[in-house]
């Protein structure tokens, strides 16, 4: 964005919250035309076989209307464009459909394996970008998220000055003022959700115990993923530019993320950093580290554990084994699989901007997932994503199952097993 | 009441819970398209989609539709390859999605399932319990049981081996187009002799009633063995199949054919050395592995008499799985450039199989549009069925696509008339009524129309499938 655009946007933001609806591109007509062309081209390759509905959490969790399947979303936005309906009285119908998607990637994998390999998520994303440009999207609750990211650098509207409060009295290097080999990118949810503060702290202590030379950014900001999936490409690009600059200035060789969403963003959507800095999700980093420098597990954990694959690790990056290797390494843990696991894993429902809005009927996806976990006989759900953690924990509480099962991040489990104090 | 989307939704919401009725334009559009390669037409967009939970709600919807003379189109997964799942005029889409209960009555020897259960989910559970049923349409991952039974299609499974799904349907729950609910068949293992209403609806093309529940006999699973043959000369290959039947070999469970070009695509994707000719894969079954293997060897003998490049028993299940998956990925791969597959269903009689094979190789010759496109041939040769097909460019406009598809149906009809056969997978009337009239005569056609009129006096149910009838 040019300075003029930034200034204009800032001024608009200061006036009213609705001003977030203002288009952010200089050549908006061209951008809209490009989005429409992308959608029409890709969607015209869909042969309506409906295979993409197999395993789609929406098709499974909603009432079964076919427009809510991945192919349905694609065809809807295609005909919205082709029949010139984007801005008519049905515009909110289309918006509500497109923002249902959790972006779990199941449909993309299925279409590639069984049908015509359409980049379905790219079409849904382009559809959201288009609706955002036309001031139809996102959903009302998500507009605040965009504003909060823009103003505060996080989707929760929290004061950026309190971003490091989760650390408490723990000492950790601050980059770029300090030097370190590894940057731990904590992410907004772990930084601001008080129920996840201990996850952040345990992660820090775990890395310390494993003698990793690491630090955190002294001024960490959102990776931009929520802005992108909600459809605000300009805001995403702005956050990306800020982060790339900070990463390069930090001088680190490796970035380790707590969240699979940040990981996905840095790996897939910040193409320039991959050439200079290795990016890993913490489960990958720890699995490598522990294999290289075996650790002493001081506290046996005799528990039956089932692992919930976060979509942005599993279905997006096929990282299935490293989290399981970490769990299997802990003495006492009996790892059991849910009926749906790995590439068939059921989404928790938090992706695609749905963390910020209630979009589905009961039972929620996370509740269905907890039910699957209970069926295994496990008393602990392990996961490796702050959003999955939050969604599943809330589901356990809503279902009054706290006595039967709890939710922990793998980092918390490793922390316990290593007997770190 | 003037008919509009709003008024229809309002009425339907008095029958089923409001959350199972949709008047969303986008839901309606998605229900106006199917796997055919042409675009939705505004004049065919339905008024509403409704998802009844049971036969009683289906009955009320049909009564309402009769009262208001509004067409009802029953929709399972919408994968029909003959256009039966695309409404031809505005109406109500009756989705079977919620008719999805599955119950195993093993002490009776049956599985009962709702019309909305997917074939895959039923087959998976059937197999998990040690049974098997002939249900393998290409769309089995999503195809619904209601659609499967209405078409009576077994897909890959060869009729002469264990028959079609209809051979295992021992009873149905059906809602008549006028809204009455009937039960057909028996809870016993002996089929009714004489008049048996089940037969009106199994393979009934959705003309006479809405199937809401299906009862099927459970067939114990058999052991399997596998074979593959490769021929340079496909006509000799066809003679091998002919010989298999004439020499009284046991019919295989399935026997697939790929022409050399098509096989090369699948083999290459799966990292296998492409075969030097056209390929047949087949599966034989038996109570023991030895019995199944013996059957494969007997079948191979028939092929060996026709001079194949190779004819082998496949002993490695891994190799079989690779070969089978090579066959499965072909359509997927070919369509990944965005073209849409359009194939015919040519069925030979046994005596004419070599001649039919030679004609299928020239299937698109002389066709103005279909003939412009490269022909790929595969099929279920054990069932004497070929699917010569082409990839229709997505850039073609609707009229061109329709014309190409029409040419395909015409050529298919010519061949099936010549061999006095008919399609065995995709139903008889949708897009094929002209053929049907030629094949079975005007008298038979008039009888079907009279039957339709008796069951469905207002032509409410799935109008358009029985072409020429209003």
């Amino acid at each position: 964005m040019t300075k003029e655009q930034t200034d204009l946007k800032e001024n608009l933001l200061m006036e009213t919250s609705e001003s977030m609806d203002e288009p952010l591109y200089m050549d908006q007509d061209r951008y809209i035309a490009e989005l429409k062309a992308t959608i029409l081209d890709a969607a015209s390759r869909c042969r309506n076989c409906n295979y993409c509905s197999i395993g789609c959490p929406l098709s499974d969790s909603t009432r079964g209307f076919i427009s809510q399947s991945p192919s349905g979303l694609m065809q809807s936005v295609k005909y919205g464009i082709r029949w010139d309906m984007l801005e008519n009285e049905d515009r909110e119908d289309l918006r509500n459909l497109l923002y249902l998607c959790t972006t779990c990637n199941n449909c993309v994998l299925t279409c590639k394996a069984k049908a015509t390999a359409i980049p379905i998520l790219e079409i849904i994303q382009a559809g959201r970008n288009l609706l955002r440009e036309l001031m139809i999207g996102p959903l009302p609750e998500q507009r605040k998220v965009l504003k909060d990211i823009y103003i505060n650098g996080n989707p929760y509207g929290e004061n950026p000055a309190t971003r490091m409060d989760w650390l408490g009295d723990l000492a950790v290097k601050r980059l770029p003022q300090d030097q370190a080999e590894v940057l731990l990118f904590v992410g907004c949810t772990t930084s601001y959700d008080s129920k996840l503060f201990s996850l952040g702290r345990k992660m820090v202590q775990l890395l310390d115990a494993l003698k990793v030379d690491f630090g955190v950014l002294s001024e960490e900001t959102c990776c931009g993923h929520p802005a992108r999936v909600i459809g605000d490409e300009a805001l995403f690009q702005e956050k990306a530019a800020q982060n790339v600059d900070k990463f390069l200035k930090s001088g680190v060789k490796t970035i380790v993320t707590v969240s699979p969403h940040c990981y996905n963003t840095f790996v897939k959507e910040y193409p320039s950093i991959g050439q200079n800095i290795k990016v890993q999700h913490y489960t990958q980093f720890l699995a490598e580290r522990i294999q290289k420098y075996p650790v002493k597990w001081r506290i046996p954990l005799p528990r039956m554990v089932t692992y919930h694959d976060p979509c942005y690790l599993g279905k997006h990056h096929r990282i299935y084994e490293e989290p399981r290797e970490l769990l299997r390494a802990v003495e006492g843990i009996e790892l059991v699989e849910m009926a749906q696991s790995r590439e068939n894993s059921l989404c928790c429902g938090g992706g695609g901007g749905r963390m910020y809005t209630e979009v589905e009927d009961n039972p929620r996806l996370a509740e269905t997932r907890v039910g699957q976990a209970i069926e295994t006989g496990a008393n602990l759900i392990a996961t490796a994503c702050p959003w999955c953690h939050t969604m599943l924990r809330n589901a356990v509480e809503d279902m009054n199952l706290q006595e039967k099962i709890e939710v922990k991040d793998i980092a918390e489990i490793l922390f316990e097993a290593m007997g770190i104090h | 009441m003037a008919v509009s989307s709003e008024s229809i939704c309002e009425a339907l919401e008095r029958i089923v819970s409001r959350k199972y009725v949709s008047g969303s334009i986008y839901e309606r559009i998605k229900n106006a398209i199917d796997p055919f390669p042409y675009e939705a037409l505004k004049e065919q967009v339905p008024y509403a989609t409704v998802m009844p939970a049971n036969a009683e709600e289906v009955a009320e919807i049909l009564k309402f539709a009769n009262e208001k003379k509004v067409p009802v189109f029953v929709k399972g997964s919408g994968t029909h390859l003959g256009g039966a799942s695309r409404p031809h005029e505005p109406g109500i889409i009756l989705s079977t999605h919620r008719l999805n209960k599955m119950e195993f009555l093993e002490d009776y020897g049956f599985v009962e399932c709702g019309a909305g259960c997917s074939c895959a989910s039923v087959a998976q559970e059937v197999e998990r319990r040690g049974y098997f049923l002939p249900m393998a349409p290409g769309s089995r991952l999503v195809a619904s049981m209601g659609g499967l039974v209405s078409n009576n299609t077994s897909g890959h499974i060869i009729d002469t081996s264990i028959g079609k799904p209809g051979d295992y349907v021992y009873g149905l729950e059906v809602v008549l187009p006028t809204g009455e609910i009937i039960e057909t068949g028996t809870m016993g293992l002996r089929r009714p002799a004489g008049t048996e209403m089940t037969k009106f609806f199994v393979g009934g093309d959705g003309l006479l009633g809405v199937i809401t529940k299906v009862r099927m006999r459970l067939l114990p699973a058999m052991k399997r063995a596998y074979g593959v043959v490769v021929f340079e000369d496909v006509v000799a290959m066809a003679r091998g199949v002919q010989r298999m039947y004439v020499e009284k070999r046991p019919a295989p469970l399935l026997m697939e054919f790929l022409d050399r070009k098509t096989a090369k695509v699948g083999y290459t994707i799966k990292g296998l050395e492409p075969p030097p000719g056209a390929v047949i894969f087949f599966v034989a079954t038996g109570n023991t592995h030895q019995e199944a293997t013996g059957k494969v060897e007997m079948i191979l003998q028939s092929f060996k008499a026709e001079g194949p490049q190779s004819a082998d028993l496949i002993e490695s299940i891994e190799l079989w799985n690779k070969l089978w998956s090579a066959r499965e990925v072909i359509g997927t791969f070919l369509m990944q450039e965005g073209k849409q597959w359009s194939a015919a269903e040519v069925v030979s009689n046994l005596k004419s199989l070599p001649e039919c094979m030679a004609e299928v190789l020239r299937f698109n010759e002389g066709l103005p549009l279909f003939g412009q496109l490269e022909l790929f041939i595969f099929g279920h040769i054990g069932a004497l069925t070929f699917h010569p097909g082409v990839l229709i460019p997505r850039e073609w406009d609707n009229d061109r696509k329709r014309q190409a598809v029409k040419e395909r149906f015409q050529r298919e009809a010519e061949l099936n008339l010549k061999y006095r056969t008919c399609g065995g997978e995709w139903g008889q009337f949708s897009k094929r009524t002209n053929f049907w009239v030629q094949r079975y005569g005007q008298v038979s056609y008039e009888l079907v129309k009279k039957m339709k009129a008796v069951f469905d006096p207002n032509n409410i149910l799935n109008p358009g499938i029985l072409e020429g009838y209003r």
Side-chain angles (χ1 to χ4, degrees):
Chain A
M1 284 176 64
T2 63
K3 185 170 183 309
E4 273 175 8
Q5 281 175 297
T6 311
D7 290 344
L8 172 66
K9 186 169 159 186
E10 204 155 2
N11 290 338
L12 288 167
L13 280 169
M14 294 305 144
E15 287 168 21
T16 65
S17 60
E18 285 75 30
S19 55
M20 276 303 290
D21 285 336
E22 292 296 324
L24 301 174
Y25 280 79
M26 285 295 276
D27 192 352
Q28 194 196 19
D29 289 346
R30 188 174 153 201
Y31 181 52
I32 287 175
E34 282 174 4
L35 288 170
K36 287 181 176 176
T38 300
I39 292 164
L40 292 177
D41 180 65
S44 68
R45 289 167 49 203
C46 171
R47 65 184 181 116
N48 287 297
C49 65
N50 294 328
Y51 285 7
C52 55
S53 62
I54 310 163
C56 168
L58 289 187
S59 301
D60 285 352
S61 72
T62 55
R63 284 159 278 173
F65 290 112
I66 194 69
S67 56
Q68 295 170 347
S69 68
S71 162
L73 301 189
M74 269 194 303
Q75 295 297 340
S76 294
V77 68
K78 173 182 137 182
Y79 279 96
I81 295 167
R82 189 157 281 176
W83 288 3
D84 198 18
M85 302 191 300
L86 293 177
E87 296 179 86
N88 73 4
E89 67 278 9
D90 297 309
R91 60 189 177 276
E92 289 191 2
D93 270 8
L94 181 61
R95 180 197 68 188
N96 295 346
L97 277 173
L98 283 182
Y99 282 89
L100 273 174
C101 175
T102 69
T103 66
C104 76
N105 213 38
N106 182 82
C107 55
V108 175
L109 299 180
T110 307
C111 191
K112 191 170 181 186
K114 313 273 184 206
T116 50
I118 296 172
I120 302 173
L121 282 192
E122 288 177 26
I123 300 177
I124 292 170
Q125 184 61 58
R128 290 180 178 188
N129 292 346
L130 181 59
L131 295 193
R132 169 92 185 106
E133 286 303 310
L134 297 173
M135 296 180 277
I136 297 162
L139 296 168
E141 304 92 317
Q142 293 168 336
R143 290 171 192 230
K144 181 178 179 307
V145 171
L146 296 178
K147 185 181 170 189
D148 288 335
I149 293 173
Y150 186 73
I151 295 175
N152 298 309
N154 69 78
Y156 303 109
E158 297 287 347
N159 183 349
T162 65
R163 189 168 182 114
M164 304 299 276
D165 287 1
W166 62 272
L167 262 173
D169 56 2
L170 288 178
V172 62
K173 285 183 181 178
R174 308 294 177 101
L175 309 180
Q177 294 85 345
D178 300 322
Q179 300 280 303
E181 297 250 314
V182 173
L183 163 62
L184 174 67
F185 193 90
V186 182
C188 301
T189 308
T190 309
S191 298
Y192 287 114
D193 180 346
S194 60
K195 291 185 178 171
L196 293 175
F197 284 178
S198 73
L199 164 61
R201 283 202 288 269
K202 285 172 183 171
M203 185 77 75
V204 164
Q205 290 170 277
L206 198 56
L207 293 175
D208 270 337
L210 293 169
K211 303 199 181 334
V212 177
D213 175 22
F214 76 101
V216 296
L217 286 174
S218 54
E219 291 182 14
E220 191 181 275
T221 188
C222 178
C223 68
H225 170 77
R228 173 163 255 198
V229 293
I230 288 172
D232 194 329
E233 186 63 17
L235 182 55
F236 167 73
Q237 293 295 345
E238 186 182 305
K239 299 317 289 180
Q242 287 171 4
N243 276 317
V244 169
D245 188 46
K246 285 177 187 179
F247 294 161
L248 295 177
K249 281 184 182 152
S250 72
V252 296
K253 292 178 182 163
T254 304
I255 298 172
V256 172
T257 72
V258 175
S259 167
H261 296 267
C262 304
Y263 168 74
N264 175 74
T265 305
F266 299 156
V267 169
K268 275 193 184 165
E269 292 162 8
Y270 289 14
S272 62
I273 61 166
Q275 296 155 14
N276 303 296
I277 304 172
K278 182 177 179 182
V279 179
Q280 290 188 302
H281 181 255
Y282 85 83
T283 53
Q284 295 175 294
F285 180 82
L286 291 182
E288 273 182 24
R289 187 88 185 176
I290 289 171
Q291 194 178 34
K292 208 169 172 185
Y293 306 106
V295 298
K296 185 165 183 186
W297 305 103
R298 293 198 174 86
I299 314 284
L301 297 178
R303 300 192 69 168
M304 193 181 278
V305 179
T306 190
Y307 173 64
H308 165 77
D309 291 276
C311 299
Y312 275 78
L313 275 191
K315 288 177 188 169
H316 279 268
H317 293 279
R318 298 178 188 264
I319 300 170
Y320 301 116
E321 289 312 316
E322 291 92 331
R324 289 175 169 81
E325 277 171 29
L326 290 170
L327 290 167
R328 282 194 209 100
V330 175
E331 191 185 330
I333 283 185
E334 182 188 347
L335 188 61
V336 289
E337 295 289 350
M338 285 182 260
Q340 289 179 266
S341 70
R342 292 186 168 85
E343 65 274 15
N344 297 319
S345 179
L346 180 67
C347 177
C348 73
R354 293 168 39 126
M355 273 297 285
Y356 317 108
T357 180
E358 194 72 50
V359 290
E360 67 200 2
D361 290 334
N362 291 321
R364 296 186 195 124
L365 286 169
E367 291 172 5
T368 304
R369 192 61 169 156
V370 169
Q372 291 182 352
I374 294 276
E375 279 174 20
T376 65
N379 54 20
L380 176 58
I381 302 172
T383 191
C385 169
W387 282 358
C388 296
H389 192 296
T390 303
M391 297 296 285
L392 295 169
R393 190 186 62 230
N394 289 346
V396 167
E397 287 168 9
D398 292 346
M399 295 164 85
N400 275 324
L401 290 171
Q402 297 95 319
E403 301 293 314
K404 278 196 165 177
I405 202 158
E406 63 180 325
V407 180
K408 286 190 178 182
D409 195 280
I410 289 177
E412 297 175 289
I413 295 169
L414 299 180
F415 174 90
E416 275 181 52
M418 285 176 72
I420 300 169
H421 298 291
Chain B
M1 181 187 78
V3 173
S4 65
S5 178
E6 293 75 19
S7 65
I8 296 281
C9 287
E10 200 178 302
L12 292 172
E13 285 168 10
R14 287 195 285 270
I15 299 170
V16 306
S17 163
R18 186 176 199 170
K19 65 187 212 175
Y20 295 113
V21 177
S22 175
S24 157
I25 182 65
Y26 294 105
E27 176 66 18
R28 290 154 54 203
I29 290 172
K30 176 63 179 162
N31 277 290
I33 49 182
D34 68 355
F36 264 75
Y38 28 83
E39 300 289 325
L41 297 174
K42 285 184 180 173
E43 59 270 26
Q44 292 180 345
V45 171
Y47 296 122
T49 298
V50 59
M51 291 186 196
N54 50 47
E56 288 72 23
E57 288 185 352
V58 173
E60 290 305 310
I61 293 163
L62 286 165
K63 283 177 190 167
F64 162 75
N66 271 281
E67 188 189 317
K68 300 296 175 191
K69 308 284 190 292
V70 178
V72 172
F73 300 94
V74 182
K75 188 106 166 194
S77 63
T79 56
H80 190 262
L81 290 173
S85 45
R86 182 183 288 237
H88 301 277
E89 58 188 292
I92 296 167
I93 299 293
L94 192 158
S95 164
T96 59
H97 182 81
R98 291 174 71 211
L99 304 172
N100 58 3
K101 292 187 181 64
M102 190 191 324
E103 189 177 5
F104 277 81
L105 308 169
E106 288 184 73
D107 42 357
Y108 285 86
F110 294 122
V111 55
E112 283 189 352
C113 56
C117 289
S118 75
C119 296
S121 64
V122 176
Q124 188 181 1
E125 192 55 28
V126 162
E127 286 167 30
R128 193 182 71 77
R129 292 166 184 257
Y131 300 105
F132 184 74
L133 284 171
M135 305 191 300
S139 56
R140 62 191 168 280
L141 291 174
V142 287
S144 69
M145 290 301 292
L148 181 99
V149 172
S150 290
N151 269 296
N152 196 18
T153 180
S154 53
H156 302 303
I157 309 288
I158 295 175
D159 308 43
T160 50
S161 170
I162 62 167
K164 278 178 143 42
D167 297 311
Y168 299 86
V169 176
Y170 273 50
L172 296 171
E173 177 187 71
V174 177
V175 184
L176 299 178
T178 40
E180 299 85 0
I181 302 169
I182 63 167
E183 184 193 333
T184 73
T186 175
M187 276 301 284
L189 290 176
R190 189 128 210 226
R191 284 178 176 285
T195 305
E196 163 42 330
M197 292 292 285
T198 306
K199 292 171 188 164
F200 286 103
F201 307 101
V202 172
D205 285 298
L207 295 178
L208 307 181
V210 181
I211 296 172
T212 49
K213 195 194 287 182
V214 180
R215 181 184 311 130
M216 292 182 83
R217 178 170 77 83
L218 291 163
L219 177 70
M222 306 278 274
K223 302 291 181 197
R224 295 182 177 201
Y226 311 95
V228 60
V229 295
V230 180
F231 275 82
E232 187 176 2
D233 176 357
V234 290
V235 176
M237 181 182 245
R239 282 198 303 269
V241 176
Q242 200 178 31
R243 192 180 272 274
M244 173 184 82
Y245 280 109
V246 172
E247 292 175 349
K248 305 182 186 66
R249 308 298 189 194
L253 181 69
L254 53 90
M255 179 175 272
E256 295 289 302
F257 163 77
L258 302 175
D259 72 359
R260 185 175 179 179
K261 179 171 52 180
T262 312
K264 186 179 174 186
V265 173
Y267 274 61
T268 306
I269 296 168
K270 286 292 162 187
L272 296 164
E273 180 71 22
V279 183
I280 283 179
F281 316 134
F282 65 95
V283 178
T285 57
N287 286 314
T288 62
H289 183 67
Q290 197 179 5
E291 184 189 343
T293 304
K295 287 182 181 175
V296 168
E297 283 166 348
M298 289 165 76
I299 292 167
L300 288 173
Q301 288 307 315
S302 294
F303 283 112
K304 282 176 182 169
E306 293 294 339
Q309 290 161 297
S310 62
D312 301 304
L313 171 75
I314 300 175
E315 292 188 274
S316 154
I317 185 70
E318 289 74 26
L319 176 59
W320 167 261
N321 286 339
K322 259 193 168 178
L323 288 170
W324 184 253
S325 63
R327 186 248 176 263
E328 292 278 86
V329 296
I330 291 164
T332 299
F333 178 80
L334 291 175
M335 284 186 291
Q336 291 195 348
E337 286 177 18
K339 297 170 181 172
Q340 276 181 296
W341 180 248
S342 179
E345 189 186 10
V346 176
V347 182
S348 177
N349 61 54
L350 183 59
K351 187 176 179 186
S352 312
L353 190 63
E355 183 191 344
C356 181
M357 171 70 94
E359 288 202 271
V360 165
L361 295 178
R362 303 190 303 272
F363 181 85
N364 61 345
E365 274 182 21
L367 299 179
L369 290 172
F370 210 79
Q372 292 176 18
L373 305 168
E374 191 179 7
L375 192 68
F376 294 85
I377 306 167
F378 63 90
H380 320 299
I381 198 167
L384 317 184
T385 299
F386 298 101
H387 293 309
V390 299
L391 293 154
I392 295 187
R394 62 185 163 137
E395 299 78 21
W396 284 15
D397 62 27
N398 256 6
D399 289 344
R400 226 165 168 214
K401 289 175 180 172
R402 282 179 188 279
Q403 184 56 34
V405 172
K406 194 174 169 188
E407 291 170 10
R408 173 195 115 190
F409 276 114
Q410 280 171 348
R411 178 58 53 87
E412 171 193 292
E414 286 165 23
L415 292 174
N416 288 344
L417 284 170
K418 176 177 176 182
Y419 298 114
R420 298 177 64 204
T421 56
C422 62
E425 293 182 76
W426 303 340
Q428 294 302 323
F429 289 111
S430 180
K431 299 273 188 297
R432 284 172 160 170
T433 305
N434 279 342
F435 161 77
W436 205 91
V437 176
Q438 292 177 73
R439 175 76 182 86
Y440 300 107
Q442 195 65 34
V443 172
S444 297
Y445 178 55
E446 293 302 325
L447 261 179
V448 175
K449 287 204 288 189
K450 283 177 191 165
M451 205 156 66
K452 172 74 173 163
V454 168
F455 279 74
D456 186 8
N458 293 315
N459 195 21
I460 287 301
L461 187 62
N462 296 320
I465 289 179
L466 182 60
E467 291 157 333
Y469 177 71
R470 303 266 342 149

